[in-house]
Amino acid sequence: MTRSILIVTFLLATVLSTAQSRTSSPYSFFGLGQETFRGTIENRSMAGVRTYADSVHINLNNPAAYAGLRLTSFTVGGVHTETFASSNAGDDEYDATSIEYVSLGIPLGRKAGFGFGLIPFQSVGYTIGEVNDVRYTRFTGEGSLNRAYFAAGAKLTPELSIGGEFRYNFGQQVNRSSIALDGVEFGTRIENESDIGGVSFNFGLHYDKRLKNGNNLQGAVTFQPQSDITARNTRRLSRFVLQADLAEAIVDTDESDEQKQDLNLSSDLTIGIGYGKSRQWNLAGEYSRRGTGSQVTRSFAPDNVNYNDAASYRLGGFYIPKFNSLTSYWDRVVYRGGLRYEQTGIELSGQDISEFGISFGLGLPIGRGASFSSANIGLEYGQRGTQDAGLIKEDFFSISIGISLSDKWFQKRRYN
């Protein structure tokens, strides 16, 4: 019964995750969209730190971690974000809710493991524009890039593991630009629809050394090479009449032939190191560097934007009072927290757009005794952007919820 429930959940999450707008930020206009995936809920609750790996949780960022799995693990998570934006023109509020990932990891003996799943990782969801006595402008976009992946890891030595991940990236993005002028009978709307697809890879190393004092030193390196993807673009040119309620009543539409556009996903390198005591506490720090990659051609492209390499700094960890406590449930809870700072690589009007976040979370054990399954809850507060140079500053609050189910599968039954 449990496995049937997992299969149904997996299929449902797969359908839902391909049809969501996972962000509402105007900054998702730039590039291929906003990078929204930061790992499992466990990782998000530690500011996205992914250096730590154990034998019962899936690490979706480092394929080498599959080598350490001892239990079959299923995990799914979702996030809701409320954003409060402020600029010189006024304030606004918007929100977004989405399934973040669905994944299954399976051990292969004691020296290898593999996993597969679906992750929406990059999203577009913006509305930009203004209305005055002489001019109406509106620019909107929505869509998501998703990856279906297969990953495997194996131990080279008792301390060192290596892994690789095959990713098929796919998704659709739609952006529209509308302009109407006072005294002109019809307004003009341009709609670009892009169906995107392509293959990429991710490689990882993980090192876990037990020291003489009983604590563990962990280190991790992951590298995603730059990879080619293809967009099939269709453009529609429409005339419209602007209604009193600002609705656009389409008069006629011309559609162009489909055109191919070669793009690439940027390279990404992450290096991390962590220190702690197994099943009790861990603290890790990480540095990531991401290349510029391709920038999608929008209907409307500002001339005050530059793209640079992006960089991220993360510090996070967890604490468990007593993982095998028989007398106190709260002693078995995992308490998580972290800080992160990101340079997004976007420069607008001479201003570097950065992002800061502080996160907390709980891993709540499910079941009795030594069960390794858990419900995970995370909270994050963060800031993005600036009000300088007429730009937008965003304050956002996120709540994330996930389930991680770990058990032994594929065992021979001793009794019928």
Side-chain angles (χ1 to χ4, degrees):
M1 177 63 73
T2 300
R3 298 179 194 179
S4 298
I5 293 174
L6 295 185
I7 292 172
V8 172
T9 304
F10 188 96
L11 294 175
L12 177 61
T14 300
V15 173
L16 292 176
S17 61
T18 60
Q20 303 174 90
S21 179
R22 305 177 61 249
T23 181
S24 299
S25 173
Y27 291 111
S28 68
F29 171 91
F30 301 98
L32 287 169
Q34 185 180 356
E35 191 84 23
T36 51
F37 177 69
R38 297 194 188 95
T40 63
I41 305 304
E42 296 94 313
N43 297 133
R44 289 181 67 101
S45 300
M46 299 185 292
V49 166
R50 73 288 300 265
T51 296
Y52 178 79
D54 60 27
S55 61
V56 296
H57 293 96
I58 298 175
N59 187 324
L60 295 177
N61 299 95
N62 189 347
Y66 284 99
L69 273 183
R70 295 295 174 265
L71 300 177
T72 298
S73 298
F74 171 83
T75 184
V76 61
V79 176
H80 175 79
T81 302
E82 294 280 346
T83 304
F84 303 88
S86 55
S87 68
N88 296 335
D91 300 333
D92 198 4
E93 299 179 15
Y94 33 85
D95 59 61
T97 304
S98 66
I99 290 179
E100 287 292 285
Y101 56 86
V102 55
S103 180
L104 184 67
I106 301 173
L108 294 174
R110 300 188 63 83
K111 294 184 178 182
F114 71 95
F116 55 90
L118 181 70
I119 299 172
F121 68 96
Q122 209 152 353
S123 297
V124 171
Y126 62 87
T127 299
I128 309 169
E130 63 178 351
V131 181
N132 55 43
D133 293 339
V134 297
R135 183 183 179 91
Y136 161 88
T137 59
R138 182 177 175 86
F139 309 99
T140 64
E142 68 269 348
S144 181
L145 279 178
N146 316 285
R147 72 168 65 112
Y149 75 90
F150 177 86
K155 286 186 175 294
L156 297 179
T157 71
E159 292 84 19
L160 182 63
S161 301
I162 189 172
E165 182 178 328
F166 170 86
R167 299 168 169 177
Y168 177 71
N169 308 286
F170 64 97
Q172 183 182 80
Q173 295 184 359
V174 179
N175 73 92
R176 305 175 185 88
S177 64
S178 300
I179 299 177
L181 302 175
D182 184 48
V184 179
E185 183 177 6
F186 299 115
T188 301
R189 183 169 82 176
I190 301 175
E191 177 180 290
N192 288 327
E193 180 177 312
S194 300
D195 290 304
I196 303 172
V199 169
S200 64
F201 299 91
N202 185 39
F203 304 98
L205 292 171
H206 187 266
Y207 179 80
D208 188 353
K209 174 69 174 179
R210 188 175 181 87
L211 305 177
K212 292 182 179 180
N213 61 5
N215 293 342
N216 285 69
L217 177 68
Q218 292 195 8
V221 178
T222 60
F223 178 63
Q224 172 188 291
Q226 180 173 292
S227 55
D228 297 328
I229 58 176
T230 300
R232 299 183 181 276
N233 302 317
T234 302
R235 174 168 291 194
R236 302 179 183 90
L237 178 62
S238 303
R239 295 189 302 166
F240 67 88
V241 175
L242 188 64
Q243 305 294 303
D245 60 356
L246 301 183
E248 300 175 7
I250 301 298
V251 177
D252 53 45
T253 300
D254 290 326
E255 182 172 316
S256 65
D257 294 334
E258 182 180 87
Q259 295 183 347
K260 289 180 60 177
Q261 182 182 8
D262 294 327
L263 305 171
N264 58 66
L265 292 176
S266 59
S267 61
D268 193 308
L269 173 67
T270 296
I271 300 173
I273 187 169
Y275 180 78
K277 188 175 183 62
S278 179
R279 299 180 180 180
Q280 186 170 354
W281 65 274
N282 187 269
L283 181 66
E286 291 179 350
Y287 169 75
S288 295
R289 187 93 180 169
R290 188 174 69 246
T292 54
S294 288
Q295 315 308 328
V296 173
T297 301
R298 308 292 191 197
S299 306
F300 157 76
D303 56 8
N304 63 341
V305 59
N306 292 308
Y307 297 98
N308 306 301
D309 288 353
S312 301
Y313 308 85
R314 296 179 290 271
L315 179 69
F318 69 84
Y319 173 69
I320 309 173
K322 189 177 181 181
F323 81 94
N324 59 352
S325 175
L326 300 178
T327 58
S328 173
Y329 175 83
W330 294 104
D331 280 350
R332 293 190 288 124
V333 169
V334 185
Y335 300 87
R336 303 183 175 102
L339 298 165
R340 64 182 178 89
Y341 175 75
E342 300 180 8
Q343 299 167 326
T344 66
I346 301 172
E347 181 185 326
L348 289 171
S349 300
Q351 300 293 320
D352 291 323
I353 304 304
S354 61
E355 185 173 319
F356 165 82
I358 179 171
S359 55
F360 305 93
L362 298 175
L364 304 173
I366 299 175
R368 299 179 179 178
S371 172
F372 292 103
S373 298
S374 63
N376 298 286
I377 301 174
L379 299 173
E380 182 182 35
Y381 165 73
Q383 293 182 347
R384 180 188 304 115
T386 176
Q387 284 187 252
D388 295 341
L391 301 178
I392 297 172
K393 178 184 177 182
E394 296 178 324
D395 292 86
F396 57 88
F397 299 85
S398 297
I399 180 170
S400 52
I401 300 175
I403 294 177
S404 178
L405 303 178
S406 300
D407 201 354
K408 289 187 177 181
W409 288 16
F410 314 114
Q411 300 182 94
K412 291 184 178 180
R413 294 185 178 181
R414 295 186 178 183
Y415 306 99
N416 292 324

mmCIF file with all atom_site columns, all heavy atoms in Angstrom, residues 192-214:
data_model
loop_
_atom_site.group_PDB
_atom_site.id
_atom_site.type_symbol
_atom_site.label_atom_id
_atom_site.label_alt_id
_atom_site.label_comp_id
_atom_site.label_asym_id
_atom_site.label_entity_id
_atom_site.label_seq_id
_atom_site.pdbx_PDB_ins_code
_atom_site.Cartn_x
_atom_site.Cartn_y
_atom_site.Cartn_z
_atom_site.occupancy
_atom_site.B_iso_or_equiv
_atom_site.pdbx_formal_charge
_atom_site.auth_seq_id
_atom_site.auth_comp_id
_atom_site.auth_asym_id
_atom_site.auth_atom_id
_atom_site.pdbx_PDB_model_num
ATOM 1   N N   . ASN A 1 192 ? 5.706  36.184 -27.653 1.00 0.00 ? 192 ASN A N   1
ATOM 2   C CA  . ASN A 1 192 ? 6.715  35.183 -27.997 1.00 0.00 ? 192 ASN A CA  1
ATOM 3   C C   . ASN A 1 192 ? 6.493  33.937 -27.146 1.00 0.00 ? 192 ASN A C   1
ATOM 4   O O   . ASN A 1 192 ? 6.465  34.024 -25.918 1.00 0.00 ? 192 ASN A O   1
ATOM 5   C CB  . ASN A 1 192 ? 8.123  35.710 -27.741 1.00 0.00 ? 192 ASN A CB  1
ATOM 6   C CG  . ASN A 1 192 ? 8.534  36.760 -28.754 1.00 0.00 ? 192 ASN A CG  1
ATOM 7   O OD1 . ASN A 1 192 ? 8.130  36.698 -29.909 1.00 0.00 ? 192 ASN A OD1 1
ATOM 8   N ND2 . ASN A 1 192 ? 9.304  37.742 -28.327 1.00 0.00 ? 192 ASN A ND2 1
ATOM 9   N N   . GLU A 1 193 ? 6.348  32.800 -27.789 1.00 0.00 ? 193 GLU A N   1
ATOM 10  C CA  . GLU A 1 193 ? 6.203  31.525 -27.084 1.00 0.00 ? 193 GLU A CA  1
ATOM 11  C C   . GLU A 1 193 ? 7.403  30.642 -27.418 1.00 0.00 ? 193 GLU A C   1
ATOM 12  O O   . GLU A 1 193 ? 7.691  30.391 -28.587 1.00 0.00 ? 193 GLU A O   1
ATOM 13  C CB  . GLU A 1 193 ? 4.911  30.829 -27.486 1.00 0.00 ? 193 GLU A CB  1
ATOM 14  C CG  . GLU A 1 193 ? 4.682  29.495 -26.787 1.00 0.00 ? 193 GLU A CG  1
ATOM 15  C CD  . GLU A 1 193 ? 3.356  28.867 -27.168 1.00 0.00 ? 193 GLU A CD  1
ATOM 16  O OE1 . GLU A 1 193 ? 2.329  29.567 -27.147 1.00 0.00 ? 193 GLU A OE1 1
ATOM 17  O OE2 . GLU A 1 193 ? 3.358  27.659 -27.511 1.00 0.00 ? 193 GLU A OE2 1
ATOM 18  N N   . SER A 1 194 ? 8.099  30.183 -26.371 1.00 0.00 ? 194 SER A N   1
ATOM 19  C CA  . SER A 1 194 ? 9.315  29.397 -26.557 1.00 0.00 ? 194 SER A CA  1
ATOM 20  C C   . SER A 1 194 ? 9.157  28.030 -25.916 1.00 0.00 ? 194 SER A C   1
ATOM 21  O O   . SER A 1 194 ? 8.876  27.936 -24.712 1.00 0.00 ? 194 SER A O   1
ATOM 22  C CB  . SER A 1 194 ? 10.524 30.113 -25.936 1.00 0.00 ? 194 SER A CB  1
ATOM 23  O OG  . SER A 1 194 ? 10.720 31.376 -26.523 1.00 0.00 ? 194 SER A OG  1
ATOM 24  N N   . ASP A 1 195 ? 9.324  26.978 -26.708 1.00 0.00 ? 195 ASP A N   1
ATOM 25  C CA  . ASP A 1 195 ? 9.394  25.614 -26.187 1.00 0.00 ? 195 ASP A CA  1
ATOM 26  C C   . ASP A 1 195 ? 10.872 25.226 -26.142 1.00 0.00 ? 195 ASP A C   1
ATOM 27  O O   . ASP A 1 195 ? 11.552 25.178 -27.165 1.00 0.00 ? 195 ASP A O   1
ATOM 28  C CB  . ASP A 1 195 ? 8.618  24.649 -27.078 1.00 0.00 ? 195 ASP A CB  1
ATOM 29  C CG  . ASP A 1 195 ? 7.124  24.875 -26.998 1.00 0.00 ? 195 ASP A CG  1
ATOM 30  O OD1 . ASP A 1 195 ? 6.579  24.819 -25.880 1.00 0.00 ? 195 ASP A OD1 1
ATOM 31  O OD2 . ASP A 1 195 ? 6.495  25.136 -28.044 1.00 0.00 ? 195 ASP A OD2 1
ATOM 32  N N   . ILE A 1 196 ? 11.351 24.931 -24.933 1.00 0.00 ? 196 ILE A N   1
ATOM 33  C CA  . ILE A 1 196 ? 12.776 24.766 -24.699 1.00 0.00 ? 196 ILE A CA  1
ATOM 34  C C   . ILE A 1 196 ? 13.104 23.329 -24.326 1.00 0.00 ? 196 ILE A C   1
ATOM 35  O O   . ILE A 1 196 ? 12.362 22.705 -23.550 1.00 0.00 ? 196 ILE A O   1
ATOM 36  C CB  . ILE A 1 196 ? 13.251 25.716 -23.574 1.00 0.00 ? 196 ILE A CB  1
ATOM 37  C CG1 . ILE A 1 196 ? 12.913 27.168 -23.952 1.00 0.00 ? 196 ILE A CG1 1
ATOM 38  C CG2 . ILE A 1 196 ? 14.739 25.575 -23.321 1.00 0.00 ? 196 ILE A CG2 1
ATOM 39  C CD1 . ILE A 1 196 ? 13.154 28.160 -22.829 1.00 0.00 ? 196 ILE A CD1 1
ATOM 40  N N   . GLY A 1 197 ? 14.185 22.794 -24.858 1.00 0.00 ? 197 GLY A N   1
ATOM 41  C CA  . GLY A 1 197 ? 14.592 21.437 -24.530 1.00 0.00 ? 197 GLY A CA  1
ATOM 42  C C   . GLY A 1 197 ? 16.077 21.228 -24.764 1.00 0.00 ? 197 GLY A C   1
ATOM 43  O O   . GLY A 1 197 ? 16.686 21.890 -25.605 1.00 0.00 ? 197 GLY A O   1
ATOM 44  N N   . GLY A 1 198 ? 16.669 20.311 -23.994 1.00 0.00 ? 198 GLY A N   1
ATOM 45  C CA  . GLY A 1 198 ? 18.076 20.010 -24.174 1.00 0.00 ? 198 GLY A CA  1
ATOM 46  C C   . GLY A 1 198 ? 18.627 19.206 -23.013 1.00 0.00 ? 198 GLY A C   1
ATOM 47  O O   . GLY A 1 198 ? 17.998 19.084 -21.962 1.00 0.00 ? 198 GLY A O   1
ATOM 48  N N   . VAL A 1 199 ? 19.822 18.667 -23.199 1.00 0.00 ? 199 VAL A N   1
ATOM 49  C CA  . VAL A 1 199 ? 20.461 17.783 -22.229 1.00 0.00 ? 199 VAL A CA  1
ATOM 50  C C   . VAL A 1 199 ? 21.589 18.525 -21.510 1.00 0.00 ? 199 VAL A C   1
ATOM 51  O O   . VAL A 1 199 ? 22.292 19.346 -22.117 1.00 0.00 ? 199 VAL A O   1
ATOM 52  C CB  . VAL A 1 199 ? 21.015 16.532 -22.938 1.00 0.00 ? 199 VAL A CB  1
ATOM 53  C CG1 . VAL A 1 199 ? 21.912 15.726 -22.027 1.00 0.00 ? 199 VAL A CG1 1
ATOM 54  C CG2 . VAL A 1 199 ? 19.864 15.671 -23.448 1.00 0.00 ? 199 VAL A CG2 1
ATOM 55  N N   . SER A 1 200 ? 21.763 18.236 -20.226 1.00 0.00 ? 200 SER A N   1
ATOM 56  C CA  . SER A 1 200 ? 22.904 18.758 -19.471 1.00 0.00 ? 200 SER A CA  1
ATOM 57  C C   . SER A 1 200 ? 23.375 17.694 -18.484 1.00 0.00 ? 200 SER A C   1
ATOM 58  O O   . SER A 1 200 ? 22.720 16.655 -18.301 1.00 0.00 ? 200 SER A O   1
ATOM 59  C CB  . SER A 1 200 ? 22.536 20.050 -18.745 1.00 0.00 ? 200 SER A CB  1
ATOM 60  O OG  . SER A 1 200 ? 21.539 19.807 -17.771 1.00 0.00 ? 200 SER A OG  1
ATOM 61  N N   . PHE A 1 201 ? 24.508 17.963 -17.833 1.00 0.00 ? 201 PHE A N   1
ATOM 62  C CA  . PHE A 1 201 ? 25.106 16.992 -16.920 1.00 0.00 ? 201 PHE A CA  1
ATOM 63  C C   . PHE A 1 201 ? 25.568 17.693 -15.641 1.00 0.00 ? 201 PHE A C   1
ATOM 64  O O   . PHE A 1 201 ? 25.821 18.899 -15.624 1.00 0.00 ? 201 PHE A O   1
ATOM 65  C CB  . PHE A 1 201 ? 26.302 16.295 -17.583 1.00 0.00 ? 201 PHE A CB  1
ATOM 66  C CG  . PHE A 1 201 ? 25.937 15.537 -18.829 1.00 0.00 ? 201 PHE A CG  1
ATOM 67  C CD1 . PHE A 1 201 ? 25.984 16.164 -20.072 1.00 0.00 ? 201 PHE A CD1 1
ATOM 68  C CD2 . PHE A 1 201 ? 25.535 14.214 -18.759 1.00 0.00 ? 201 PHE A CD2 1
ATOM 69  C CE1 . PHE A 1 201 ? 25.640 15.480 -21.223 1.00 0.00 ? 201 PHE A CE1 1
ATOM 70  C CE2 . PHE A 1 201 ? 25.186 13.516 -19.903 1.00 0.00 ? 201 PHE A CE2 1
ATOM 71  C CZ  . PHE A 1 201 ? 25.237 14.149 -21.137 1.00 0.00 ? 201 PHE A CZ  1
ATOM 72  N N   . ASN A 1 202 ? 25.692 16.910 -14.581 1.00 0.00 ? 202 ASN A N   1
ATOM 73  C CA  . ASN A 1 202 ? 26.205 17.398 -13.321 1.00 0.00 ? 202 ASN A CA  1
ATOM 74  C C   . ASN A 1 202 ? 27.109 16.317 -12.720 1.00 0.00 ? 202 ASN A C   1
ATOM 75  O O   . ASN A 1 202 ? 26.753 15.131 -12.738 1.00 0.00 ? 202 ASN A O   1
ATOM 76  C CB  . ASN A 1 202 ? 25.062 17.724 -12.357 1.00 0.00 ? 202 ASN A CB  1
ATOM 77  C CG  . ASN A 1 202 ? 25.542 18.356 -11.068 1.00 0.00 ? 202 ASN A CG  1
ATOM 78  O OD1 . ASN A 1 202 ? 26.455 19.171 -11.070 1.00 0.00 ? 202 ASN A OD1 1
ATOM 79  N ND2 . ASN A 1 202 ? 24.930 17.985 -9.955  1.00 0.00 ? 202 ASN A ND2 1
ATOM 80  N N   . PHE A 1 203 ? 28.267 16.716 -12.205 1.00 0.00 ? 203 PHE A N   1
ATOM 81  C CA  . PHE A 1 203 ? 29.220 15.761 -11.649 1.00 0.00 ? 203 PHE A CA  1
ATOM 82  C C   . PHE A 1 203 ? 29.580 16.177 -10.230 1.00 0.00 ? 203 PHE A C   1
ATOM 83  O O   . PHE A 1 203 ? 29.580 17.370 -9.896  1.00 0.00 ? 203 PHE A O   1
ATOM 84  C CB  . PHE A 1 203 ? 30.476 15.697 -12.514 1.00 0.00 ? 203 PHE A CB  1
ATOM 85  C CG  . PHE A 1 203 ? 30.208 15.366 -13.953 1.00 0.00 ? 203 PHE A CG  1
ATOM 86  C CD1 . PHE A 1 203 ? 30.133 16.372 -14.902 1.00 0.00 ? 203 PHE A CD1 1
ATOM 87  C CD2 . PHE A 1 203 ? 29.987 14.056 -14.343 1.00 0.00 ? 203 PHE A CD2 1
ATOM 88  C CE1 . PHE A 1 203 ? 29.859 16.076 -16.236 1.00 0.00 ? 203 PHE A CE1 1
ATOM 89  C CE2 . PHE A 1 203 ? 29.712 13.738 -15.672 1.00 0.00 ? 203 PHE A CE2 1
ATOM 90  C CZ  . PHE A 1 203 ? 29.645 14.749 -16.612 1.00 0.00 ? 203 PHE A CZ  1
ATOM 91  N N   . GLY A 1 204 ? 29.875 15.185 -9.382  1.00 0.00 ? 204 GLY A N   1
ATOM 92  C CA  . GLY A 1 204 ? 30.157 15.518 -8.001  1.00 0.00 ? 204 GLY A CA  1
ATOM 93  C C   . GLY A 1 204 ? 31.153 14.600 -7.335  1.00 0.00 ? 204 GLY A C   1
ATOM 94  O O   . GLY A 1 204 ? 31.323 13.432 -7.726  1.00 0.00 ? 204 GLY A O   1
ATOM 95  N N   . LEU A 1 205 ? 31.820 15.134 -6.310  1.00 0.00 ? 205 LEU A N   1
ATOM 96  C CA  . LEU A 1 205 ? 32.677 14.381 -5.406  1.00 0.00 ? 205 LEU A CA  1
ATOM 97  C C   . LEU A 1 205 ? 32.209 14.649 -3.988  1.00 0.00 ? 205 LEU A C   1
ATOM 98  O O   . LEU A 1 205 ? 31.786 15.767 -3.662  1.00 0.00 ? 205 LEU A O   1
ATOM 99  C CB  . LEU A 1 205 ? 34.139 14.812 -5.543  1.00 0.00 ? 205 LEU A CB  1
ATOM 100 C CG  . LEU A 1 205 ? 34.876 14.483 -6.842  1.00 0.00 ? 205 LEU A CG  1
ATOM 101 C CD1 . LEU A 1 205 ? 36.225 15.175 -6.855  1.00 0.00 ? 205 LEU A CD1 1
ATOM 102 C CD2 . LEU A 1 205 ? 35.045 12.977 -6.998  1.00 0.00 ? 205 LEU A CD2 1
ATOM 103 N N   . HIS A 1 206 ? 32.277 13.626 -3.140  1.00 0.00 ? 206 HIS A N   1
ATOM 104 C CA  . HIS A 1 206 ? 31.952 13.819 -1.724  1.00 0.00 ? 206 HIS A CA  1
ATOM 105 C C   . HIS A 1 206 ? 32.961 13.069 -0.875  1.00 0.00 ? 206 HIS A C   1
ATOM 106 O O   . HIS A 1 206 ? 33.272 11.906 -1.131  1.00 0.00 ? 206 HIS A O   1
ATOM 107 C CB  . HIS A 1 206 ? 30.541 13.332 -1.413  1.00 0.00 ? 206 HIS A CB  1
ATOM 108 C CG  . HIS A 1 206 ? 30.103 13.665 -0.019  1.00 0.00 ? 206 HIS A CG  1
ATOM 109 N ND1 . HIS A 1 206 ? 30.243 12.787 1.034   1.00 0.00 ? 206 HIS A ND1 1
ATOM 110 C CD2 . HIS A 1 206 ? 29.558 14.795 0.504   1.00 0.00 ? 206 HIS A CD2 1
ATOM 111 C CE1 . HIS A 1 206 ? 29.788 13.367 2.136   1.00 0.00 ? 206 HIS A CE1 1
ATOM 112 N NE2 . HIS A 1 206 ? 29.382 14.576 1.850   1.00 0.00 ? 206 HIS A NE2 1
ATOM 113 N N   . TYR A 1 207 ? 33.469 13.772 0.158   1.00 0.00 ? 207 TYR A N   1
ATOM 114 C CA  . TYR A 1 207 ? 34.479 13.204 1.048   1.00 0.00 ? 207 TYR A CA  1
ATOM 115 C C   . TYR A 1 207 ? 33.936 13.234 2.473   1.00 0.00 ? 207 TYR A C   1
ATOM 116 O O   . TYR A 1 207 ? 33.422 14.255 2.936   1.00 0.00 ? 207 TYR A O   1
ATOM 117 C CB  . TYR A 1 207 ? 35.770 14.022 0.954   1.00 0.00 ? 207 TYR A CB  1
ATOM 118 C CG  . TYR A 1 207 ? 36.875 13.534 1.859   1.00 0.00 ? 207 TYR A CG  1
ATOM 119 C CD1 . TYR A 1 207 ? 37.663 12.440 1.513   1.00 0.00 ? 207 TYR A CD1 1
ATOM 120 C CD2 . TYR A 1 207 ? 37.152 14.184 3.059   1.00 0.00 ? 207 TYR A CD2 1
ATOM 121 C CE1 . TYR A 1 207 ? 38.691 12.004 2.344   1.00 0.00 ? 207 TYR A CE1 1
ATOM 122 C CE2 . TYR A 1 207 ? 38.174 13.747 3.894   1.00 0.00 ? 207 TYR A CE2 1
ATOM 123 C CZ  . TYR A 1 207 ? 38.933 12.657 3.525   1.00 0.00 ? 207 TYR A CZ  1
ATOM 124 O OH  . TYR A 1 207 ? 39.945 12.225 4.348   1.00 0.00 ? 207 TYR A OH  1
ATOM 125 N N   . ASP A 1 208 ? 34.033 12.103 3.167   1.00 0.00 ? 208 ASP A N   1
ATOM 126 C CA  . ASP A 1 208 ? 33.538 12.004 4.541   1.00 0.00 ? 208 ASP A CA  1
ATOM 127 C C   . ASP A 1 208 ? 34.564 11.217 5.358   1.00 0.00 ? 208 ASP A C   1
ATOM 128 O O   . ASP A 1 208 ? 34.727 10.017 5.167   1.00 0.00 ? 208 ASP A O   1
ATOM 129 C CB  . ASP A 1 208 ? 32.170 11.310 4.562   1.00 0.00 ? 208 ASP A CB  1
ATOM 130 C CG  . ASP A 1 208 ? 31.525 11.356 5.937   1.00 0.00 ? 208 ASP A CG  1
ATOM 131 O OD1 . ASP A 1 208 ? 32.175 11.799 6.896   1.00 0.00 ? 208 ASP A OD1 1
ATOM 132 O OD2 . ASP A 1 208 ? 30.347 10.952 6.048   1.00 0.00 ? 208 ASP A OD2 1
ATOM 133 N N   . LYS A 1 209 ? 35.259 11.922 6.265   1.00 0.00 ? 209 LYS A N   1
ATOM 134 C CA  . LYS A 1 209 ? 36.325 11.323 7.054   1.00 0.00 ? 209 LYS A CA  1
ATOM 135 C C   . LYS A 1 209 ? 35.992 11.411 8.530   1.00 0.00 ? 209 LYS A C   1
ATOM 136 O O   . LYS A 1 209 ? 35.736 12.486 9.068   1.00 0.00 ? 209 LYS A O   1
ATOM 137 C CB  . LYS A 1 209 ? 37.649 12.050 6.784   1.00 0.00 ? 209 LYS A CB  1
ATOM 138 C CG  . LYS A 1 209 ? 38.816 11.610 7.659   1.00 0.00 ? 209 LYS A CG  1
ATOM 139 C CD  . LYS A 1 209 ? 39.280 10.196 7.326   1.00 0.00 ? 209 LYS A CD  1
ATOM 140 C CE  . LYS A 1 209 ? 40.535 9.843  8.103   1.00 0.00 ? 209 LYS A CE  1
ATOM 141 N NZ  . LYS A 1 209 ? 41.000 8.462  7.806   1.00 0.00 ? 209 LYS A NZ  1
ATOM 142 N N   . ARG A 1 210 ? 35.984 10.262 9.194   1.00 0.00 ? 210 ARG A N   1
ATOM 143 C CA  . ARG A 1 210 ? 35.789 10.235 10.640  1.00 0.00 ? 210 ARG A CA  1
ATOM 144 C C   . ARG A 1 210 ? 37.121 10.493 11.324  1.00 0.00 ? 210 ARG A C   1
ATOM 145 O O   . ARG A 1 210 ? 38.107 9.772  11.102  1.00 0.00 ? 210 ARG A O   1
ATOM 146 C CB  . ARG A 1 210 ? 35.212 8.894  11.101  1.00 0.00 ? 210 ARG A CB  1
ATOM 147 C CG  . ARG A 1 210 ? 34.799 8.872  12.579  1.00 0.00 ? 210 ARG A CG  1
ATOM 148 C CD  . ARG A 1 210 ? 34.123 7.563  12.913  1.00 0.00 ? 210 ARG A CD  1
ATOM 149 N NE  . ARG A 1 210 ? 33.700 7.513  14.311  1.00 0.00 ? 210 ARG A NE  1
ATOM 150 C CZ  . ARG A 1 210 ? 32.540 7.974  14.765  1.00 0.00 ? 210 ARG A CZ  1
ATOM 151 N NH1 . ARG A 1 210 ? 31.689 8.537  13.917  1.00 0.00 ? 210 ARG A NH1 1
ATOM 152 N NH2 . ARG A 1 210 ? 32.238 7.878  16.038  1.00 0.00 ? 210 ARG A NH2 1
ATOM 153 N N   . LEU A 1 211 ? 37.174 11.524 12.170  1.00 0.00 ? 211 LEU A N   1
ATOM 154 C CA  . LEU A 1 211 ? 38.412 11.940 12.807  1.00 0.00 ? 211 LEU A CA  1
ATOM 155 C C   . LEU A 1 211 ? 38.622 11.206 14.131  1.00 0.00 ? 211 LEU A C   1
ATOM 156 O O   . LEU A 1 211 ? 37.726 10.531 14.642  1.00 0.00 ? 211 LEU A O   1
ATOM 157 C CB  . LEU A 1 211 ? 38.390 13.449 13.046  1.00 0.00 ? 211 LEU A CB  1
ATOM 158 C CG  . LEU A 1 211 ? 38.125 14.315 11.800  1.00 0.00 ? 211 LEU A CG  1
ATOM 159 C CD1 . LEU A 1 211 ? 38.064 15.776 12.173  1.00 0.00 ? 211 LEU A CD1 1
ATOM 160 C CD2 . LEU A 1 211 ? 39.180 14.057 10.736  1.00 0.00 ? 211 LEU A CD2 1
ATOM 161 N N   . LYS A 1 212 ? 39.817 11.345 14.701  1.00 0.00 ? 212 LYS A N   1
ATOM 162 C CA  . LYS A 1 212 ? 40.155 10.642 15.937  1.00 0.00 ? 212 LYS A CA  1
ATOM 163 C C   . LYS A 1 212 ? 39.281 11.069 17.114  1.00 0.00 ? 212 LYS A C   1
ATOM 164 O O   . LYS A 1 212 ? 39.055 10.304 18.044  1.00 0.00 ? 212 LYS A O   1
ATOM 165 C CB  . LYS A 1 212 ? 41.625 10.862 16.262  1.00 0.00 ? 212 LYS A CB  1
ATOM 166 C CG  . LYS A 1 212 ? 42.582 10.189 15.277  1.00 0.00 ? 212 LYS A CG  1
ATOM 167 C CD  . LYS A 1 212 ? 44.030 10.418 15.682  1.00 0.00 ? 212 LYS A CD  1
ATOM 168 C CE  . LYS A 1 212 ? 44.983 9.737  14.710  1.00 0.00 ? 212 LYS A CE  1
ATOM 169 N NZ  . LYS A 1 212 ? 46.402 9.948  15.091  1.00 0.00 ? 212 LYS A NZ  1
ATOM 170 N N   . ASN A 1 213 ? 38.789 12.308 17.084  1.00 0.00 ? 213 ASN A N   1
ATOM 171 C CA  . ASN A 1 213 ? 37.948 12.777 18.184  1.00 0.00 ? 213 ASN A CA  1
ATOM 172 C C   . ASN A 1 213 ? 36.490 12.343 18.053  1.00 0.00 ? 213 ASN A C   1
ATOM 173 O O   . ASN A 1 213 ? 35.633 12.739 18.846  1.00 0.00 ? 213 ASN A O   1
ATOM 174 C CB  . ASN A 1 213 ? 38.019 14.303 18.304  1.00 0.00 ? 213 ASN A CB  1
ATOM 175 C CG  . ASN A 1 213 ? 37.515 15.016 17.046  1.00 0.00 ? 213 ASN A CG  1
ATOM 176 O OD1 . ASN A 1 213 ? 37.024 14.395 16.107  1.00 0.00 ? 213 ASN A OD1 1
ATOM 177 N ND2 . ASN A 1 213 ? 37.651 16.335 17.041  1.00 0.00 ? 213 ASN A ND2 1
ATOM 178 N N   . GLY A 1 214 ? 36.185 11.540 17.021  1.00 0.00 ? 214 GLY A N   1
ATOM 179 C CA  . GLY A 1 214 ? 34.833 11.040 16.821  1.00 0.00 ? 214 GLY A CA  1
ATOM 180 C C   . GLY A 1 214 ? 33.968 11.909 15.936  1.00 0.00 ? 214 GLY A C   1
ATOM 181 O O   . GLY A 1 214 ? 32.868 11.497 15.539  1.00 0.00 ? 214 GLY A O   1
#
